[in-house]
Amino acid sequence: MTYRPVEEYGIIGDMHSAALVGTDGSIDWYCLPRFDSPSVFARILDDEKGGYFRISVPGCLRRQQMYLPDTCVLVTRFLSDSGVGEVIDFMPVDPGRAGPGSHQIVRVAKSIRGSTEFRLDCMPAFNFARDPHTVEISGPGALFRSDGMSFTLRSRFPLARHLNGVSASFTLGEGESTTFLLGEGADLQQTAAESRIVGDDLLRETVTFWKRWLGQCTYRGRWREMVNRSILTLKLLTYDPTGAIVAAPTTSLPEELGGPRNWDYRYTWMRDAALTLIAFMQLGFTGEAEKFMAWLEERAVEDATSKAPLQLMYRVDGTRDLTETHLDHLDGYRGSRPVRVGNLAVDQLQLDIYGELLAAVEIYDRDAKKISYDLWTHLVRMLDWVADNWRRSDEGIWEIRGGRHHFVYSKVQCWVALDRGLRIADRRSFPLDRSRIQRERDLIFEAVMQEGYRPDRGSFVQHFATDALDASILTLPIVGFVAPSDPRMLGTLARIRRELSSDSLVYRYSVRHAAADGIDCGEGTFNICTFWLVEALARAGEVEEARFIFEKMLTYANHVGLFGEETSPSGEVAGNYPQAFTHLSLINAAFALNEALGGDV
């Protein structure tokens, strides 16, 4: 077996975890029971040892994949001269089933036209292929058990032991279907007929759930299909029990093939989650924001005695341990090593997180639900901390591992934090040392204008001690730090397009000329940066150019509308996938560009 291109996968999920399903009908990534749990299928990180669950039509080379409209139910279609077969994949999301043992993957095989021969192979590899397991075949299915975890596969057709898993070959006549249930736990009592009935019911319920949820969306502008797919993807990256949002459901998919830029993104970054909340609220989804605010307040209470008001990232349940380790027994995606679990960046200083967070809270308080006084007291502690610490250097939004700098983006986000805190206090008449917070906010502004701008280059720069660029500067007009048409911003836009752009796609910075990030290899263009460029151009009045770049960027989505973190020089998906950063920025760019074009269509 050879590694499938990352873009040949769709995603299914139940807001606890997610699975990647390839166009060949193989589930090659699934962590159970949570996003940040060890994997049971991880062939995307090791094609021999990682484990997989495939249902396919042997010998079929023509395949298609799509989502049922307005849902996260994935259909993989196999087309051959003798007929057409389908596999429908989904994870039930009924909140009433939440709890231990409730997590399931439902796979419905169906012959659409003619008689179709299918092949099933279920080869789990528990705990990133580190834990041995037993296989027990009994009546309607099989039981896979390792220390601390077990799950069952229910099947109407007999399963045979094969290597460390099970396999089966079966033929379905035209119009015939069968359901396979892969579920947490050790109960195999349900009969094959009951499994099919349950699977049909779950499919109807899951389709209804997604259609009803997406029906809340208030966006009626251009590119609605891409916006809808992006917001559905962001919902899939939400951990329902707490409202926490992961940056991506995968770990160690490389930013450069064969290189070491392989990170674990299955956690909740305050930055990424806050920006995702803004995208949710922009489209009318306030329930997700309300749940996250409760999670945020819990983190603020727990960290009240810490040096900083918040840790920059957490596990989805709010715990703080993200110790980074390397899984040296895994080959890595197409030989890209190391494979990492945990994230060393948790111990970094990233001053910007308070800006994104306060921006989200301000919008929530203004447009969704008024925040409580108790939450405000925690926000005041954050504001005081930012006022005391904004002069420090940090590792910045890109989490460089080569030392700290006075990044312009970090300073601007400190300005945003204080500015949005003042807005909330003024609107709600909350107590705040306004004169101090306003004074520090204005000092930040002056520092950025004096030390973060180079008159001789006509642009803002990455940090105070360099002339190099950084695409994060594109956000300055988006957050209201400068006017979109300010000459300083227009000069920055022009320089970024000259020096960081490749066929309109934007690199986050120059690896050679910007702050040393501690990693000796290249990378692709950063998708969020390209969407930032679209938004900045639209706000600056260059609407047609913004639209051209946006439309071109959409062609880099995969066949079901999903994006990773980066786009490689050859146009392939690079980095963890699908990526919240990219999909939230697509929504923001579409919204801004649609407004610039005159609003709804």
Side-chain angles (χ1 to χ4, degrees):
M1 184 264 179
T2 56
Y3 290 93
R4 304 204 66 76
V6 175
E7 59 266 24
E8 291 190 12
Y9 288 93
I11 184 175
I12 58 174
D14 63 355
M15 279 83 76
H16 288 77
S17 186
L20 295 185
V21 186
T23 54
D24 62 345
S26 183
I27 295 176
D28 291 345
W29 178 253
Y30 179 46
C31 294
L32 186 69
R34 300 189 330 200
F35 293 106
D36 54 0
S37 298
S39 67
V40 292
F41 303 125
R43 185 161 64 168
I44 201 167
L45 296 179
D46 193 305
D47 63 348
E48 293 185 358
K49 298 190 292 286
Y52 63 96
F53 179 19
R54 180 178 59 208
I55 301 178
S56 61
V57 175
C60 180
L61 299 179
R62 291 187 295 150
R63 299 184 291 264
Q64 299 173 339
Q65 202 172 57
M66 60 172 283
Y67 283 105
L68 294 184
D70 298 337
T71 77
C72 294
V73 176
L74 190 67
V75 180
T76 305
R77 181 172 295 157
F78 301 88
L79 302 96
S80 66
D81 294 337
S82 60
V84 177
E86 284 185 350
V87 176
I88 302 173
D89 288 306
F90 65 96
M91 294 171 69
V93 292
D94 182 356
R97 292 190 175 88
S102 66
H103 308 294
Q104 295 184 85
I105 294 177
V106 182
R107 312 199 73 182
V108 180
K110 181 182 297 187
S111 183
I112 303 300
R113 196 164 58 225
S115 179
T116 306
E117 180 182 345
F118 289 88
R119 166 81 181 189
L120 177 151
D121 295 283
C122 185
M123 305 291 173
F126 289 83
N127 190 14
F128 300 106
R130 291 182 293 189
D131 292 353
H133 66 271
T134 61
V135 182
E136 175 188 335
I137 297 176
S138 175
L143 168 64
F144 306 91
R145 192 195 306 269
S146 73
D147 289 343
M149 178 177 290
S150 61
F151 64 83
T152 59
L153 173 60
R154 298 185 180 92
S155 169
R156 161 185 159 197
F157 295 96
L159 301 173
R161 177 71 182 266
H162 179 64
L163 301 176
N164 290 324
V166 297
S167 64
S169 294
F170 57 95
T171 301
L172 299 176
E174 183 169 324
E176 188 180 4
S177 67
T178 189
T179 299
F180 301 91
L181 299 179
L182 183 75
E184 188 182 13
D187 184 9
L188 269 174
Q189 297 306 308
Q190 196 172 52
T191 67
E194 289 171 336
S195 294
R196 179 177 179 179
I197 294 171
V198 169
D200 290 345
D201 289 343
L202 291 175
L203 176 58
R204 285 191 294 270
E205 292 172 6
T206 303
V207 168
T208 299
F209 172 88
W210 285 114
K211 286 180 175 292
R212 183 179 295 131
W213 182 83
L214 187 61
Q216 303 172 72
C217 184
T218 59
Y219 185 78
R220 298 292 182 269
R222 301 162 179 84
W223 311 288
R224 195 181 312 173
E225 185 174 348
M226 290 300 294
V227 169
N228 284 350
R229 181 51 52 196
S230 289
I231 202 65
L232 285 166
T233 302
L234 293 177
K235 180 64 172 174
L236 279 180
L237 301 184
T238 303
Y239 183 62
D240 187 70
T242 65
I245 303 163
V246 298
T250 56
T251 180
S252 301
L253 294 182
E255 296 178 15
E256 182 185 51
L257 191 62
R261 294 182 187 273
N262 319 312
W263 318 113
D264 191 350
Y265 277 10
R266 300 171 301 141
Y267 309 112
T268 300
W269 272 255
M270 283 298 178
R271 173 194 310 111
D272 302 47
L275 293 174
T276 301
L277 285 191
I278 293 173
F280 273 130
M281 290 186 287
Q282 189 163 230
L283 301 186
F285 296 96
T286 58
E288 286 67 24
E290 184 173 354
K291 202 162 192 175
F292 182 83
M293 289 301 163
W295 184 83
L296 168 65
E297 189 166 355
E298 290 178 2
R299 304 290 74 73
V301 171
E302 291 175 359
D303 291 351
T305 59
S306 302
K307 291 182 180 179
L310 291 171
Q311 191 166 277
L312 66 94
M313 71 177 92
Y314 299 83
R315 291 185 175 274
V316 293
D317 63 355
T319 52
R320 300 165 57 94
D321 180 21
L322 283 83
T323 302
E324 183 176 306
T325 58
H326 294 179
L327 303 181
D328 294 331
H329 66 290
L330 295 179
D331 183 54
Y333 178 75
R334 294 170 67 180
S336 302
R337 304 180 73 185
V339 174
R340 291 181 169 93
V341 172
N343 201 303
L344 187 64
V346 69
D347 295 323
Q348 290 186 352
L349 176 64
Q350 297 176 19
L351 295 169
D352 67 283
I353 66 170
Y354 299 98
E356 292 104 353
L357 188 60
L358 264 295
V361 174
E362 193 272 332
I363 294 171
Y364 176 78
D365 180 78
R366 184 191 69 203
D367 297 340
K369 183 178 180 180
K370 301 302 181 185
I371 65 170
S372 68
Y373 173 73
D374 289 335
L375 178 55
W376 174 249
T377 61
H378 297 299
L379 298 179
V380 169
R381 180 171 178 251
M382 296 179 198
L383 295 172
D384 287 336
W385 189 90
V386 171
D388 290 338
N389 288 274
W390 70 265
R391 293 173 179 82
R392 299 170 64 183
S393 57
D394 72 340
E395 280 88 2
I397 181 177
W398 306 127
E399 302 184 341
I400 65 167
R401 299 193 176 194
R404 294 179 177 180
H405 297 275
H406 291 281
F407 289 105
V408 168
Y409 180 85
S410 295
K411 304 301 182 191
V412 169
Q413 286 296 332
C414 287
W415 177 91
V416 171
L418 302 184
D419 181 75
R420 298 321 192 260
L422 287 165
R423 292 188 191 184
I424 297 171
D426 289 344
R427 184 170 60 241
R428 298 289 307 281
S429 299
F430 279 142
L432 181 68
D433 188 347
R434 286 170 171 77
S435 61
R436 174 176 181 258
I437 298 301
Q438 182 171 332
R439 180 177 65 253
E440 295 298 325
R441 181 198 64 180
D442 294 347
L443 287 173
I444 297 172
F445 189 93
E446 294 294 344
V448 171
M449 289 301 186
Q450 293 172 14
E451 300 184 62
Y453 180 78
R454 297 291 180 270
D456 58 327
R457 305 302 299 273
S459 73
F460 291 99
V461 290
Q462 185 187 47
H463 63 82
F464 288 178
T466 186
D467 289 337
L469 287 168
D470 191 305
S472 62
I473 304 166
L474 290 166
T475 64
L476 268 60
I478 296 173
V479 300
F481 186 83
V482 296
S485 58
D486 188 298
R488 296 186 179 213
M489 195 62 222
L490 294 179
T492 303
L493 272 171
R495 190 178 167 209
I496 285 177
R497 297 186 67 186
R498 289 194 307 269
E499 299 182 24
L500 292 185
S501 179
S502 173
D503 189 33
S504 77
L505 304 183
V506 181
Y507 292 94
R508 56 179 175 169
Y509 51 71
S510 170
V511 175
R512 290 179 298 140
H513 301 302
D517 62 12
I519 308 295
D520 186 20
C521 75
E523 61 183 12
T525 54
F526 251 64
N527 295 330
I528 191 173
C529 299
T530 303
F531 286 124
W532 280 341
L533 176 61
V534 170
E535 190 168 358
L537 287 171
R539 291 172 180 269
E542 298 186 40
V543 180
E544 290 306 316
E545 183 65 13
R547 182 172 190 171
F548 174 72
I549 294 173
F550 185 74
E551 296 276 10
K552 183 183 288 187
M553 184 61 193
L554 294 184
T555 67
Y556 288 95
N558 78 341
H559 58 288
V560 287
L562 301 179
F563 285 93
E565 183 176 34
E566 301 179 24
T567 300
S568 75
S570 60
E572 295 180 326
V573 167
N576 284 303
Y577 165 92
Q579 181 80 8
F581 245 5
T582 304
H583 285 281
L584 69 88
S585 62
L586 182 156
I587 292 169
N588 293 336
F591 197 92
L593 185 54
N594 191 69
E595 289 298 303
L597 289 167
D600 293 351
V601 293

